[in-house]
Amino acid sequence: MSTTFDVINPANEKVFSTLEEADVAQTDLVIAKAAKAFQTWRDVTPGDRANLLRRFSSLVTSHREELAQIEINNSGHTRGNALWEADNVANVLNYYAGAPERLYGKQIPVGGGIDITFKEPIGVVGIIVPWNFPMPIAGWGFAAALASGNTVVLKPAELTPLTAIRLAEIALEAGIPEGVFNVIVGKGSVVGNRFVTNPTVRKISFTGSTAVGKSIMAGCADQVKRVTLELGGKSANVIFADSDVDLAAASAPGAVFDNSGQDCCARSRILVQESIFDRFMAGFEKGVKEFRVEDPNLDSSQMGPLISKKQLETVQSFLGDQDDQVAFTGSAPVGPGYWMPPTVLLPKSVNARTWRKEIFGPVVSVLTFKDEAEAIELANASQYGLSGSIWTNNMGRAIRVSRAIESGNLSVNSHSSVRFWTPFGGFKQSGLGRALGPDALDAYTETKNVFFSA
Ligand code: NAP
Ligand code: MG
């Protein structure tokens, strides 16, 4: 018996699509189809595989407006972001189209013959995607997986399945053979969990909450299944007195409120050197008050609604603690939609739960530090270690602090964290393994060593 569910536009709460969700038996059928397709996909010549990925990339580019519009309606992403996200899928496909022809092994000097390593595909790869960046996170997984010769079963989040479904259709149109890239819509506890328990799936690439990530890792242990995890974050934005304080203040709102703060890299803990606190806060307040929270269809929109009523309630449940004072807030539309103004908190101490927990909404906390040592200590006092920014014009300090902060992706005098040419992933409980850049190919291949006696 099939079950259906509604997809809701978070900017107006209207249902705009109704879909069927797969059960375990349907999931198994698609996994079997992907396993069959692997037998031929792995042998497509590197040049042909590269060309297919390039064609897929350019078709995504020709559909960028359509894909972006789906994401605006489904996820409430601003038009600027949604177009960037569609382009990111095209760019990542194009980047990994360079990989099949460059998946080099090594020739290692040994006695008695020749020794060669090969980068072999793993097989069927299960990719589990969250709702916060449906297109990019799907693309980072499937582009690298397909380029390495694997076939893919991908489960989008139930809240945001529509762009993934469209991307799979575009892949077929580009000539990627049937069964190579499959999207299965359904619940995490059903479809996602089946990826973990079905032995035909040889690797899981999961992006989502740390809690679900831990259960997936434990489930994968049963079959020693390969697993990559991209989990939560509580990243620090560290601003030293010797930086361009005005620029740091002006850019701080975007660094946390982009995508309504529903970003694993959100700089949700701001650490400001005591001596510049007042100057920083004045510039920051101006930026927050000017931050445009409005209809995501507008070109000028900088922040849309939150993804769901449940997420809005979760985020709001963090407000009103005795441990926090509200410094100031921005604005938000009233009426239907899951809207919330950007909110800036001053916690009384590092023990405030808003300082420790990932809120995943438009809320940021600000604390001060005295010196470099204290800044590093405070930045590292977190179970997470995904991203972060360091503002200083002292080169020595930039080097020391960026080496000392326990985080996978840091940015000095900017808020860049995700660039598809470079590896992305977390320290500590922010994850395991790396996506993007040259490193992702290691996550989607097995190293085989062959000795030829001669
Ligand atoms: P989530 O609840 O962990 O869900 C993520 C995905 O896993 C969804 O597709 C979900 O399916 C699925 N899922 C849920 N339970 C599962 C299970 N038992 N077995 C297999 N799959 C399961 O996370 P979310 O609420 O969507 O996303 C927010 C979290 O993701 C935040 O903590 C954020 O930091 C993290 N995140 C991290 C990164 C990163 O790159 N590090 C990127 C984005 C998000 P359904 O929801 O459809 O049931
Ligand atoms: Mg969830």
Side-chain angles (χ1 to χ4, degrees), residues 355-411:
W355 183 258
R356 301 199 159 276
K357 301 246 183 210
E358 183 184 48
I359 298 175
F360 223 56
V363 180
V364 66
S365 303
V366 187
L367 275 180
T368 58
F369 64 87
K370 284 191 185 57
D371 55 19
E372 191 178 307
E374 195 189 10
I376 292 166
E377 189 191 321
L378 285 168
N380 284 341
S382 171
Q383 70 182 72
Y384 297 114
L386 187 56
S387 185
S389 304
I390 299 153
W391 291 80
T392 176
N393 283 330
N394 176 328
M395 182 59 103
R397 192 193 298 283
I399 293 168
R400 286 190 302 274
V401 178
S402 58
R403 294 302 301 274
I405 291 185
E406 300 161 341
S407 170
N409 310 269
L410 292 166
S411 170

Side-chain angles (χ1 to χ4, degrees), residues 28 153 230 252:
D28 282 345
V153 288
E230 299 287 347

Side-chain angles (χ1 to χ4, degrees), residues 128-132 137 155-158 186-189 192-193 206-209 212 216 230-233 264 358 360 386 424 430:
I128 302 174
V129 181
W131 47 259
N132 65 330
I137 293 171
K155 194 202 93 62
E158 271 206 306
K187 285 195 171 64
S189 55
N193 185 57
F206 170 82
T207 305
S209 60
V212 175
I216 285 180
E230 299 287 347
L231 309 174
C264 47
E358 183 184 48
F360 223 56
L386 187 56
F424 175 74
S430 283

Side-chain angles (χ1 to χ4, degrees), residues 168-207:
E169 292 166 356
I170 293 171
L172 278 181
E173 213 183 308
I176 306 276
E178 188 88 40
V180 169
F181 174 37
N182 310 278
V183 171
I184 314 177
V185 175
K187 285 195 171 64
S189 55
V190 178
V191 176
N193 185 57
R194 190 57 187 148
F195 289 2
V196 176
T197 58
N198 185 323
T200 302
V201 177
R202 295 289 174 81
K203 190 213 157 98
I204 300 284
S205 177
F206 170 82
T207 305

Side-chain angles (χ1 to χ4, degrees), residues 106-160:
K106 293 183 179 121
Q107 181 266 309
I108 300 171
V110 291
I114 295 174
D115 195 280
I116 303 177
T117 66
F118 296 90
K119 299 269 186 200
E120 301 284 15
I122 302 174
V124 178
V125 171
I127 300 175
I128 302 174
V129 181
W131 47 259
N132 65 330
F133 287 113
M135 276 195 279
I137 293 171
W140 305 348
F142 70 67
L146 296 175
S148 309
N150 305 285
T151 55
V152 168
V153 288
L154 182 144
K155 194 202 93 62
E158 271 206 306
L159 289 170
T160 58

